[in-house]
């Protein structure tokens, strides 16, 4: 609970509060956005200190943060373009999901192995072995497709909202989308996965009952 509270505070509440406080103090929209973007970095640093380890997701987050800083530094100093930048990153993730469908195993197979196992050799081997089942392959393919399309739609919506709303309002919307979209996708994934497992068990039991 403490970990989740810290994450929500650093990625939703504090960026929004910081932006409003700085703009009220006379800062430009662009400068306030850049300053409020420090809080997600703080979240990552606290995670690394707390867990005393670097996993692939922490590295991925750090890479995205470095790319964000690079784009901020070399790109036009426009608050609106800085907001659009977020949609480019999430849209890129969606595209990567869809491209991975053409590879031997889709992206969600690897993310599922990260979150669906305890990381032990036996658990990883069991997860890898599930790939031989057609129903499991079908499940991973559909989940990857939904996540890819979901993030592409989210990116398009962000771009549209970035130009339709004020900068201050979009800061709040960005924070909500950053956690609302993955929360919806995770909820759907869990529900669909449970149904798929139940269906798979039923299909496996059917021949023995006949």
């Amino acid at each position: 609970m403490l970990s989740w509270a810290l994450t929500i505070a650093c990625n939703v509440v504090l960026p929004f509060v910081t932006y409003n406080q700085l703009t009220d103090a006379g800062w430009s929209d662009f400068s306030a956005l850049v300053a409020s973007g420090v809080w997600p970095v703080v979240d990552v640093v606290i995670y690394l200190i707390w867990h005393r380890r670097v996993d692939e997701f922490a590295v991925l987050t750090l890479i995205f943060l470095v790319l964000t800083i690079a784009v901020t530094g070399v790109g036009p100093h426009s608050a609106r373009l800085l907001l659009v930048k977020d949609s480019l990153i999430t849209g890129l993730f969606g595209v990567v999901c869809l491209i991975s469908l053409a590879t031997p195993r889709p992206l969600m197979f690897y993310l599922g192995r990260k979150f669906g196992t305890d990381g032990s050799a036996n658990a990883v081997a069991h997860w890898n072995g599930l790939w031989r089942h057609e129903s499991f392959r079908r499940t991973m393919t559909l989940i990857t497709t939904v996540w890819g399309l979901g993030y592409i739609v989210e990116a398009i919506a962000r771009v549209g909202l970035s130009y339709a709303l004020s900068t201050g309002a979009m800061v709040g919307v960005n924070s909500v989308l950053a956690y609302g979209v993955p929360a919806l996708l995770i909820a759907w994934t869990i529900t669909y996965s449970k149904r798929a497992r139940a269906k798979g068990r039923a299909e496996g039991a059917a021949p023995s009952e006949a």
Side-chain angles (χ1 to χ4, degrees):
M1 291 297 295
L2 179 59
S3 177
W4 274 106
L6 180 64
T7 296
I8 293 173
C10 288
N11 291 273
V12 179
V13 178
L14 290 175
F16 182 73
V17 172
T18 300
Y19 171 83
N20 284 317
Q21 290 293 324
L22 292 179
T23 52
D24 288 344
W27 287 45
S28 68
D29 286 342
F30 179 84
S31 299
L33 280 173
V34 172
S36 62
V38 171
W39 289 112
V41 179
V42 172
D43 182 38
V44 173
V45 172
I46 292 176
Y47 173 87
L48 297 177
I49 295 174
W50 191 342
H51 294 275
R52 296 183 180 180
R53 62 185 176 84
V54 178
D55 62 14
E56 57 268 45
F57 291 96
V59 172
L60 183 62
T61 301
L62 288 173
I63 290 174
F64 276 127
L65 287 172
V66 170
L67 289 175
T68 298
I69 294 172
V71 171
T72 302
V74 302
H77 286 191
S78 165
R80 204 166 297 280
L81 289 179
L82 192 58
L83 290 171
V84 170
K85 169 265 307 172
D86 292 330
S87 65
L88 297 179
I89 294 176
T90 57
L92 177 61
F93 176 77
V95 171
V96 170
C97 283
L98 297 183
I99 291 176
S100 73
L101 295 173
T103 64
R105 297 182 183 184
L107 180 61
M108 286 302 158
F109 170 84
Y110 300 101
L111 296 183
R113 186 173 65 187
K114 167 66 179 178
F115 291 106
T117 71
D118 59 6
S120 65
N122 289 337
V124 170
H126 173 71
W127 182 269
N128 291 340
L130 293 174
W131 188 252
R132 69 179 182 271
H133 300 293
E134 181 181 354
S135 60
F136 182 78
R137 296 196 299 271
R138 186 168 58 247
T139 297
M140 290 296 103
T141 298
L142 180 58
I143 291 175
T144 302
T145 302
V146 170
W147 277 71
L149 293 176
Y151 267 107
I152 289 175
V153 170
E154 184 256 14
I156 294 173
R158 278 202 198 208
V159 173
L161 290 172
S162 294
Y163 287 94
L165 301 177
S166 66
T167 303
M170 195 56 200
V171 170
V173 171
N174 257 359
S175 299
V176 172
L177 289 177
Y179 283 88
V181 171
L184 289 175
L185 289 173
I186 289 171
W188 174 84
T189 300
I190 292 173
T191 302
Y192 172 73
S193 298
K194 288 181 177 178
R195 291 177 179 174
R197 284 196 298 269
K199 182 179 179 181
R201 287 194 295 267
E203 291 176 350
S208 61
E209 294 173 354

